[in-house]
Amino acid sequence: MKVFIRIIIFSVVLSLCYWGFSNYGIPQVIPEAPPVEEKISGSMTMDQYIALGGKIFNGKGTCTLCHNPVGGRAPLLVESGKDGAPIGARAADRIKDPRYKGKAKTAEEYIYESEVDPSAFVVAGFGKPGTNDTVSPMPATNKGSIGLSEAEIGAVIAYLQKSAGVQVTVKLPTGAAPAAAAPAAAEPQSAKTAEEAFGKHGCTTCHTIPGIAEGGDVGPNFKGLSSRAGSRVKGLSPKEYIMQSIVSPDAYTVKGFEPGTMPADLGEKMTVKELDMIIKYLMEKTG
Ligand code: HEC
Ligand code: HEC
């Protein structure tokens, strides 16, 4: 245990040192493109539509924040594993489950329903704590901070079916905007404001943040965060605690919340500037 604590302290100190360098502009790798408004054109082929679905799944849909092999807080969708076959294939069995009370009649409808009304059926063991698997912690992906359009949700379903190797039953959207150029690959870019950075890294999918309209409730509401931050972990200043919560979220778990829910690699996906802006905002605007 002592060693463990020492490792944590060491990594915090290390990250603080690194942070100190940020003013000198140490460059960072940014593996993901920022969320951009995807163009869905009338002339898209099914292959392009599926590829777009993959981009949304891994990007602006924020699906992989929870559906990933690391955290274990949401069932795997693309990979097969302890949750069974990929969702494209197992969706057909979900609607035959005796616990299923939703409206879906087909596998495609089940995936659609899961995205827009997650509590219609909650996979056993994944419900919000204390709800006996009746309330899903997943936010509706057609509303709030994710806000996917119908055509984008269709693209994600097509991608999930394709990656499961089953027949793609989703139809290409019709009546979409007149043929536009295929979406250009966006250059990875650092967010310009803290607000933008919260959206880019999915913080608002799980947290409600003072001053930002749309937010989630998977993690703590940030109202009063800067006031309570100094009393969370002995020896950490408010700023150090907020920093640690982002770069090594598993070092301390807020009471009443599930450990391992917040992605552990957010710190690596951010630019130093984004991390700076986020911490500054949380220190100054959360009361
Ligand atoms: C904040 C975390 C979170 C995010 C973000 C999220 N999900 Fe989920 N999702 C869950 C959890 C937890 C479950 C299991 C509980 C349930 O059945 O609702 C789930 C269940 C599902 C299921 C049903 C799985 C099954 O085995 O029956 C589908 C389909 C799904 N999510 C799709 C998506 C897609 C697509 C996105 C992105 C557009 C997404 N989710 C974003 C947490 C999340
Ligand atoms: C998939 C959901 C999820 C995402 C995305 C997420 N968080 Fe969290 N966060 C949580 C949960 C759950 C907790 C509480 C459990 C814990 O302490 O680990 C938490 C705790 C925190 C805390 C501590 C709050 C307190 O009251 O002490 C901070 C600060 C925080 N997150 C910041 C962020 C920031 C900044 C981002 C975006 C860069 C982010 N989180 C993204 C789920 C998430």
Side-chain angles (χ1 to χ4, degrees):
M1 193 58 200
K2 268 219 173 109
V3 175
F4 182 57
I5 290 174
R6 251 189 260 148
I7 292 174
I8 289 178
I9 292 174
F10 177 73
S11 39
V12 169
V13 168
L14 196 71
S15 6
L16 287 174
C17 296
Y18 188 50
W19 192 33
F21 274 114
S22 67
N23 294 341
Y24 302 104
I26 288 195
Q28 270 221 327
V29 182
I30 315 165
E32 270 185 88
V36 281
E37 203 51 59
E38 299 295 357
K39 294 215 170 30
I40 294 177
S41 79
S43 67
M44 223 176 207
T45 65
M46 188 45 102
D47 281 349
Q48 287 172 325
Y49 193 48
I50 291 168
L52 176 64
K55 250 177 90 180
I56 296 168
F57 184 82
N58 292 297
K60 80 182 259 197
T62 70
C63 317
T64 50
L65 285 180
C66 301
H67 294 281
N68 64 62
V70 185
R73 292 310 310 154
L76 293 177
L77 297 179
V78 176
E79 304 86 348
S80 49
K82 63 177 171 21
D83 303 302
I87 187 65
R90 74 174 179 266
D93 298 328
R94 290 291 191 218
I95 48 184
K96 295 184 204 137
D97 189 303
R99 284 174 56 238
Y100 184 72
K101 298 280 184 298
K103 298 195 187 78
K105 298 276 184 288
T106 64
E108 177 187 334
E109 285 169 10
Y110 174 77
I111 302 178
Y112 177 85
E113 185 178 67
S114 299
E115 290 191 58
V116 302
D117 184 11
S119 295
F121 175 79
V122 180
V123 179
F126 286 104
K128 272 201 183 170
T131 67
N132 197 17
D133 288 340
T134 55
V135 181
S136 174
M138 174 169 154
T141 58
N142 61 338
K143 300 202 189 84
S145 60
I146 306 178
L148 300 183
S149 69
E150 289 290 304
E152 288 173 328
I153 291 174
V156 171
I157 299 172
Y159 164 74
L160 291 172
Q161 290 183 320
K162 178 76 180 181
S163 52
V166 300
Q167 195 199 343
V168 176
T169 59
V170 182
K171 303 268 175 303
L172 273 174
T174 51
E187 285 292 311
Q189 245 182 14
S190 190
K192 294 195 177 52
T193 60
E195 287 84 343
E196 215 181 284
F198 287 133
K200 176 177 168 190
H201 296 290
C203 318
T204 42
T205 299
C206 298
H207 294 285
T208 295
I209 307 176
I212 295 178
E214 305 284 6
D217 62 357
V218 175
N221 188 319
F222 287 162
K223 189 159 190 282
L225 175 66
S226 63
S227 319
R228 68 179 179 257
S231 50
R232 285 282 200 223
V233 179
K234 228 177 158 195
L236 291 188
S237 72
K239 200 166 171 178
E240 286 163 348
Y241 170 74
I242 291 176
M243 166 93 173
Q244 173 185 284
S245 302
I246 300 169
V247 299
S248 33
D250 293 341
Y252 171 86
T253 302
V254 178
K255 260 207 198 75
F257 292 90
E258 288 288 325
T261 309
M262 185 161 150
D265 59 354
L266 284 171
E268 293 153 32
K269 290 189 170 160
M270 279 177 204
T271 62
V272 174
K273 180 176 162 227
E274 286 169 341
L275 186 58
D276 269 346
M277 290 188 304
I278 284 178
I279 293 176
K280 189 160 186 282
Y281 185 105
L282 295 179
M283 286 295 292
E284 290 172 2
K285 307 217 170 135
T286 57

